[in-house]
Amino acid sequence: MTTPLFESSIRSLPLLGRGKVRDIYAIDADKLLIVTSDRLSAFDVILPDPIPRKGEVLTALANFWFARLGHIVPNQLTGIDPESVVAADERDQVRGRALVVKRLAPLPIEAVVRGYVIGSGWKDYQDTGAICGIDLPANLKQAQKLPFPIFTPASKAEVGDHDENISFEQAQERTDTVLAQALEGTGKTGAQLVAEARDAAIRLYSEAADYAATRGIIIADTKFEFGIDAAGTLHLIDEALTPDSSRFWPASSYAEGISPPSYDKQYVRDYLETLDWGKVAPGPKLPDEVIAHTAAKYVEAYERLTGKTL
C-alpha cells in the first residue's frame, strides 16, 4: 500500500489553496489541478491522521459518477492526464488521486439533496416540521424516506466553519450578489442559476439513488457543487456522490427510527464523540483500528457501487 498523502507539495505549479481534503493548483488561465489528499475532517476540524487510500477512493468514485451522469449536466473534467502537468518527481503525488479540471466560477452554495430525513434535516424537522422551509408530512420517523427528494441549499463555509442551511430564496440572492460580475453579458441571473442547479441536483441524485439501490446501497442525501463558464453554462464541479459528500447506507441494515450504519466517516465521528474533546482544532489522533476500519469502509463503498476492485 502506498504511503498516505496528508498534504501535497507540488512545486512545479502555483498553489491556490487547500481545502479540508483537496489541494488546488493553477495550470493556466483555463485549467486547474485538484489533488485529493487522504486528509479527514470531522466536525469541521481536519484530523492529524490521514486515511490510507481515501483520496484514491474519492477520485475513482467521482470519476465513475461523472461518466455515468454526464448526460444530465456538463462537468469539470478535461480528460488531461494529471501526470502530464507536473514535474517527473511529482507524479507519484497525483497518480490516481488528481484531476485536471476547467477553471469555472463556483456557485456560492452547497446544492444539497435529501431523500431521507436524517442529520441536520432531522433536527430541523423536529423543530419546525420542515427542512429549509420546505413543509413535510407530520409524524415522520428518523431516517424515513421522504415522499420525494428535496433541494435544501446550504451556505458554503470556509475551512473550520460550519455550512448553514439556507432557503432557496437566500441561495438565489447570494448567487446573484457573488456572481454578478461573472454573469455580465451571459443573459443569466444568479436566481436562474440556482433554479438550474436545483433541477440538475435532484435529477443527479434521483438517477444515482436508483442505480445505487440495485447495488444494495441507499443514498440518503448528498451535496453537489456547481460552477459556470464564461457563457454562464452550469457545470458539475468538485466531487460527486462520494462517502465524503453523501450518506450511504447498506440497504440490508436500514431501518426507520434510528440513524442507520453508513459507509462514510460516521465511524470516526462516533469514536470522537466518546472523547473529552471540544470539537475545535487541533483534532485528536486516531487509534490504528479506527483508521483501518474507516479506510476499509471507503474502499467497500467504491467496490459495492462500481462492482470493481480498487
Side-chain angles (χ1 to χ4, degrees):
M1 183 179 294
T2 56
T3 303
L5 181 73
F6 185 81
E7 186 175 279
S8 64
S9 55
I10 306 296
R11 294 183 174 83
S12 58
L13 297 172
L15 175 68
L16 296 182
R18 299 189 196 276
K20 292 174 185 174
V21 175
R22 287 166 181 78
D23 300 336
I24 303 173
Y25 297 86
I27 296 174
D28 56 29
D30 301 316
K31 295 182 289 296
L32 302 171
L33 175 72
I34 300 181
V35 182
T36 305
S37 75
D38 295 321
R39 294 192 293 272
L40 182 76
S41 69
F43 305 111
D44 295 304
V45 174
I46 297 172
L47 302 179
D49 298 292
I51 304 299
R53 304 192 77 187
K54 178 173 178 281
E56 186 183 352
V57 168
L58 297 184
T59 302
L61 193 51
N63 281 338
F64 169 80
W65 290 117
F66 284 138
R68 187 172 187 90
L69 303 172
H71 60 284
I72 295 176
V73 63
N75 62 53
Q76 64 186 348
L77 300 185
T78 63
I80 297 171
D81 183 354
E83 293 187 44
S84 71
V85 301
V86 298
D89 62 354
E90 297 168 337
R91 290 173 185 161
D92 60 335
Q93 294 187 61
V94 303
R95 187 170 298 125
R97 65 167 68 248
L99 299 173
V100 176
V101 303
K102 305 168 190 173
R103 271 196 193 237
L104 300 162
L107 273 62
I109 60 167
E110 303 277 6
V112 180
V113 181
R114 302 175 189 271
Y116 293 73
V117 57
I118 196 70
S120 64
W122 171 240
K123 294 176 184 176
D124 196 0
Y125 174 75
Q126 287 179 296
D127 291 340
T128 67
I131 301 178
C132 288
I134 300 171
D135 291 327
L136 296 171
N139 302 315
L140 292 178
K141 297 177 182 177
Q142 184 182 23
Q144 186 169 342
K145 187 175 183 178
L146 295 170
F148 48 83
I150 58 174
F151 177 71
T152 58
S155 63
K156 193 180 294 186
E158 298 296 322
V159 175
D161 292 334
H162 298 278
D163 293 342
E164 292 185 2
N165 293 341
I166 57 177
S167 69
F168 182 74
E169 291 74 23
Q170 287 173 314
Q172 289 181 309
E173 291 169 10
R174 180 185 293 257
T175 304
D176 264 327
T177 300
V178 173
L179 292 184
Q181 186 172 354
L183 288 169
E184 283 183 10
T186 66
K188 289 190 176 181
T189 66
Q192 288 173 317
L193 280 179
V194 173
E196 285 184 35
R198 173 196 60 200
D199 295 345
I202 288 175
R203 188 174 169 196
L204 289 164
Y205 169 82
S206 298
E207 289 200 19
D210 287 347
Y211 166 78
T214 70
R215 308 293 303 177
I217 289 180
I218 294 169
I219 304 180
D221 53 35
T222 194
K223 68 176 180 179
F224 300 105
E225 293 196 35
F226 293 97
I228 56 168
D229 61 14
T233 302
L234 195 72
H235 287 66
L236 181 60
I237 65 171
D238 195 55
E239 62 177 337
L241 296 151
T242 73
D244 268 16
S245 64
S246 315
R247 217 179 298 259
F248 295 150
W249 295 333
S252 59
S253 53
Y254 166 72
E256 294 180 357
I258 63 168
S259 180
S262 59
Y263 283 109
D264 58 16
K265 53 191 173 185
Q266 191 60 46
Y267 186 79
V268 173
R269 292 193 197 100
D270 291 344
Y271 166 75
L272 294 173
E273 290 282 18
T274 70
L275 305 181
D276 182 18
W277 172 55
K279 298 178 183 176
V280 294
K285 288 190 66 63
L286 299 175
D288 289 345
E289 62 269 24
V290 172
I291 293 172
H293 182 92
T294 303
K297 280 293 178 187
Y298 273 81
V299 172
E300 185 182 351
Y302 171 82
E303 293 181 346
R304 285 283 298 272
L305 282 166
T306 66
K308 301 176 183 176
T309 55
L310 195 62

